[in-house]
Amino acid sequence: MGQQSDLLHLTFPHSQVSSKLDPASLSKHYSSICATNTPTSSTPKLSQQQCESLYSTGLTTAADIQQKSVKASTLKARRAAAKELAEWMHSMHHVTGRTMLTAIPEDILVYFTQRLLPNHAGSNTAAGELIAAPGSLSGTKSHLATEYELLGCIGNWDPVSQTGNPMHSMQVRNMLKGYANHATELGYQKRGAVPLTQAEMHTMLSSMFQMLIKCTDQAEQLLLTRDGLLFSILWQTCYRGFNAGGVRLENIVLPIGGSSVPYLIPNRLQQGPFCTCCQTPPKIRKEGIV
């Protein structure tokens, strides 16, 4: 025990050692043991101009790559939302004295009610009135929240320090919930996506089948077969697309019985897009969906 005590006194500054062993000193010491030993490099230091050039080029390149983390359409929509808010805040600057970067949640609420919602009214209510869909407001809020994070406004809005992301505030969250109820009271009904017609589905499967018979790569053939199978199942069962990856073979029950998928596999002998010998749609057994 005496030797260990001496080692600790050699490792830590004397002022940091106590009878209880200071937790911060122990943590720092352990980190230094685990970290990679990096001796002073002999690489010559770059000039200030060279460093500035490298950082400028490197950050610009990184930003270009980072933008590809989302779809081009999403990036375009986010930029449009940010531009519209920035222009509105600029038009109000002589009164508020604030810009988009310094906007507070109350600015966002006024922008929503006086600019965004009136300018994006494109959904019919039961009374024939045009209003902005709640999903449109929610999407804009999401785009602006991301834009504020990129501008350095991180975390929930703090009303005391007036810092954080104004989109992540109680006011904006309640606005979205309230508008969804408001739109419902006006008779707004959410409409789902228009499904493919049977003719459109056959056209797509026929095109996939033509690609399949011309394909020589076995892996590509298997992928086309898989995709055709999933498209067929989803269309005939009206099952949700985001569950397609969790559908297993045992979940698919054909009208002929059993758990197999023969009539959805491309049939080269019949030269048809996908064999349709059974006219009754298959069913999805939801138990076991992952």
Side-chain angles (χ1 to χ4, degrees), residues 61-204:
T61 303
D64 291 338
I65 296 174
Q66 180 180 317
Q67 290 174 0
K68 296 179 181 179
S69 63
V70 297
K71 295 181 179 179
S73 58
T74 302
L75 180 62
K76 182 179 179 180
R78 194 191 77 210
R79 287 177 171 172
K83 180 181 178 182
E84 188 173 354
L85 174 59
E87 291 176 347
W88 187 82
M89 290 298 299
H90 177 75
S91 69
M92 303 293 290
H93 186 266
H94 68 288
V95 176
T96 66
R98 292 183 291 274
T99 64
M100 174 183 169
L101 184 59
T102 57
I104 61 177
E106 288 75 12
D107 293 326
I108 304 300
L109 298 182
V110 178
Y111 166 70
F112 280 169
T113 59
Q114 301 302 309
R115 176 68 177 269
L116 181 71
L117 295 178
N119 287 3
H120 292 266
S123 298
N124 287 312
T125 65
E129 180 183 357
L130 284 177
I131 64 170
S136 176
L137 181 63
S138 179
T140 299
K141 180 261 181 184
S142 178
H143 288 316
L144 291 176
T146 300
E147 194 69 23
Y148 272 109
E149 288 182 6
L150 293 174
L151 290 171
C153 302
I154 307 300
N156 292 329
W157 177 259
D158 185 349
V160 177
S161 63
Q162 297 284 286
T163 58
N165 193 328
M167 309 308 296
H168 293 160
S169 62
M170 180 188 68
Q171 296 95 318
V172 173
R173 285 193 292 268
N174 287 343
M175 173 69 184
L176 263 64
K177 294 179 181 178
Y179 183 72
N181 295 333
H182 173 69
T184 301
E185 291 175 356
L186 292 176
Y188 169 80
Q189 293 183 344
K190 184 178 179 179
R191 292 185 175 88
V194 178
L196 290 175
T197 65
Q198 185 175 15
E200 291 171 333
M201 187 64 183
H202 285 170
T203 299
M204 182 179 71

Side-chain angles (χ1 to χ4, degrees), residues 9-286:
H9 278 78
L10 289 173
T11 304
F12 306 121
H14 180 73
S15 60
Q16 296 181 355
V17 178
S18 66
S19 59
K20 294 184 178 180
L21 296 179
D22 178 50
S25 299
L26 284 174
S27 178
K28 184 177 180 180
H29 173 61
Y30 183 69
S31 297
S32 66
I33 295 175
C34 296
T36 303
N37 185 19
T38 54
T40 303
S41 174
S42 59
T43 304
K45 294 182 179 180
L46 299 177
S47 67
Q48 180 176 346
Q49 183 179 4
Q50 290 173 315
C51 290
E52 291 176 352
S53 177
L54 282 174
Y55 265 81
S56 176
T57 303
L59 290 176
T60 300
T61 303
D64 291 338
I65 296 174
Q66 180 180 317
Q67 290 174 0
K68 296 179 181 179
S69 63
V70 297
K71 295 181 179 179
S73 58
T74 302
L75 180 62
K76 182 179 179 180
R78 194 191 77 210
R79 287 177 171 172
K83 180 181 178 182
E84 188 173 354
L85 174 59
E87 291 176 347
W88 187 82
M89 290 298 299
H90 177 75
S91 69
M92 303 293 290
H93 186 266
H94 68 288
V95 176
T96 66
R98 292 183 291 274
T99 64
M100 174 183 169
L101 184 59
T102 57
I104 61 177
E106 288 75 12
D107 293 326
I108 304 300
L109 298 182
V110 178
Y111 166 70
F112 280 169
T113 59
Q114 301 302 309
R115 176 68 177 269
L116 181 71
L117 295 178
N119 287 3
H120 292 266
S123 298
N124 287 312
T125 65
E129 180 183 357
L130 284 177
I131 64 170
S136 176
L137 181 63
S138 179
T140 299
K141 180 261 181 184
S142 178
H143 288 316
L144 291 176
T146 300
E147 194 69 23
Y148 272 109
E149 288 182 6
L150 293 174
L151 290 171
C153 302
I154 307 300
N156 292 329
W157 177 259
D158 185 349
V160 177
S161 63
Q162 297 284 286
T163 58
N165 193 328
M167 309 308 296
H168 293 160
S169 62
M170 180 188 68
Q171 296 95 318
V172 173
R173 285 193 292 268
N174 287 343
M175 173 69 184
L176 263 64
K177 294 179 181 178
Y179 183 72
N181 295 333
H182 173 69
T184 301
E185 291 175 356
L186 292 176
Y188 169 80
Q189 293 183 344
K190 184 178 179 179
R191 292 185 175 88
V194 178
L196 290 175
T197 65
Q198 185 175 15
E200 291 171 333
M201 187 64 183
H202 285 170
T203 299
M204 182 179 71
L205 294 178
S206 296
S207 176
M208 293 181 65
F209 180 70
Q210 293 302 317
M211 294 171 60
L212 177 66
I213 61 178
K214 294 177 181 178
C215 181
T216 57
D217 182 77
Q218 187 176 13
E220 187 68 21
Q221 289 178 340
L222 291 173
L223 289 175
L224 286 168
T225 302
R226 179 204 64 184
D227 292 344
L229 167 64
L230 289 176
F231 287 147
S232 298
I233 292 175
L234 293 175
W235 185 82
Q236 295 186 59
T237 61
C238 297
Y239 207 59
R240 294 182 178 273
F242 61 79
N243 290 125
V247 176
R248 296 176 175 175
L249 195 60
E250 58 266 24
N251 300 131
I252 304 170
V253 182
L254 296 182
I256 56 177
S259 297
S260 58
V261 288
Y263 84 109
L264 296 174
I265 301 298
N267 190 327
R268 290 178 180 273
L269 297 178
Q270 294 185 2
Q271 292 299 308
F274 287 79
C275 178
T276 55
C277 59
C278 185
Q279 298 300 319
T280 307
K283 297 180 180 179
I284 296 292
R285 183 188 291 117
K286 293 187 178 183

